Amino acid sequence: MRTDRLAGTPGRLRSFDPARVADLEFRAWVGYYLRDWPGVLRASIGLVRVGFGMDWVRTLHGAWLVLRANQLWAPEDNDPDGARRCMRRFYGLLKISYGQPRDVAEAARLEVDWWRVHRERQHAEQPHTGQPHTGQAHPGQPAAGDDPADELVGALTRLYTFLYDEPEAAVRLAAVYRTEAMDLSDQWVAEGCRLDSPLLAREHAALVRSYAALLAAVHH
């Protein structure tokens, strides 16, 4: 039985405002690449509060842990073990609050694993077309072939499947749209992080689609 749910009612982890979560994650991503750590912290506080609904003490603690994980991950000579430790503590706060995830170490491993896959993809010596890679021919269907987005979509799908105890097919579309948002973010970074870039609006829209798809998959 899922411990985050009352009978007939989606639990707090399955109830969130996709537009607000998307906007806050967008702000966190922009702040991350500008190395605006106060901005990342502000966005992380909002993300934890809106996305997970913990009390303010745990929200502030959790946001600080997410910030530290990102700071440990950000440099070229980064500290993946340190990032995983911070995320284990973050997921520990969720487990204290809601009884989930069942294995905080595995949740942290899957979280930092998609960070790894994204970094490898971002820095791979491949031409960037500027077009979003969905990794699939039709929305909601598994991808075929050797699209370089496949591994990132897969890593995100595994995280969502583990956290929400849903089949991969149900949450894959959310992973596809989030990967599309990352493609646009990566192109924005490659073009110099201009705050007037039209890529930012497209990135924001892709994140809204991602969280709307995730909510549709888990809110039942």
Side-chain angles (χ1 to χ4, degrees):
M1 182 177 70
R2 297 184 180 112
T3 57
D4 70 323
R5 296 171 63 182
L6 299 175
T9 305
R12 181 60 185 83
L13 295 180
R14 294 168 175 265
S15 301
F16 52 86
D17 182 332
R20 289 183 68 195
V21 172
D23 183 65
L24 288 161
E25 180 160 71
F26 168 79
R27 293 172 186 274
W29 285 11
V30 171
Y32 175 90
Y33 285 112
L34 295 177
R35 297 300 189 257
D36 173 15
W37 297 121
V40 174
L41 179 59
R42 288 192 296 271
S44 296
I45 291 170
L47 268 173
V48 175
R49 183 66 174 175
V50 173
F52 301 106
M54 293 188 290
D55 64 44
W56 275 109
V57 172
R58 289 176 183 164
T59 291
L60 294 173
H61 187 192
W64 174 253
L65 290 169
V66 171
L67 173 67
R68 286 299 300 138
N70 278 276
Q71 288 176 322
L72 291 167
W73 181 260
E76 289 188 16
D77 57 339
N78 62 357
D79 182 1
D81 290 337
R84 278 188 289 269
R85 283 194 297 272
C86 287
M87 293 311 298
R88 277 199 302 272
R89 293 170 64 191
F90 172 78
Y91 281 116
L93 293 175
L94 282 186
K95 188 166 187 177
I96 291 169
S97 300
Y98 302 113
Q100 290 186 313
R102 61 185 183 276
D103 183 338
V104 297
E106 179 64 5
R109 186 192 70 79
L110 290 168
E111 179 79 39
V112 177
D113 190 57
W114 81 253
W115 299 2
R116 174 192 62 80
V117 173
H118 171 252
R119 172 166 286 199
E120 290 174 358
R121 170 169 157 70
Q122 185 181 25
H123 295 293
E125 294 183 357
Q126 298 175 8
H128 243 299
T129 64
Q131 298 300 314
H133 296 288
T134 63
Q136 55 187 31
H138 302 285
Q141 297 298 318
D146 297 320
D147 190 300
D150 282 356
E151 189 180 357
L152 183 52
V153 170
L156 286 165
T157 299
R158 287 190 292 275
L159 174 65
Y160 293 155
T161 296
F162 182 80
L163 292 180
Y164 294 101
D165 193 24
E166 296 289 347
E168 289 192 0
V171 296
R172 183 178 175 84
L173 187 58
V176 166
Y177 285 137
R178 203 166 175 204
T179 296
E180 177 183 328
M182 277 184 258
D183 276 347
L184 292 163
S185 176
D186 293 346
Q187 185 181 355
W188 174 71
V189 172
E191 293 181 4
C193 297
R194 288 175 35 239
L195 292 177
D196 62 348
S197 171
L199 291 168
L200 291 177
R202 293 169 59 194
E203 175 188 336
H204 188 280
L207 283 171
V208 173
R209 289 193 294 272
S210 175
Y211 282 104
L214 185 61
L215 182 65
V218 306
H219 190 80
H220 56 78

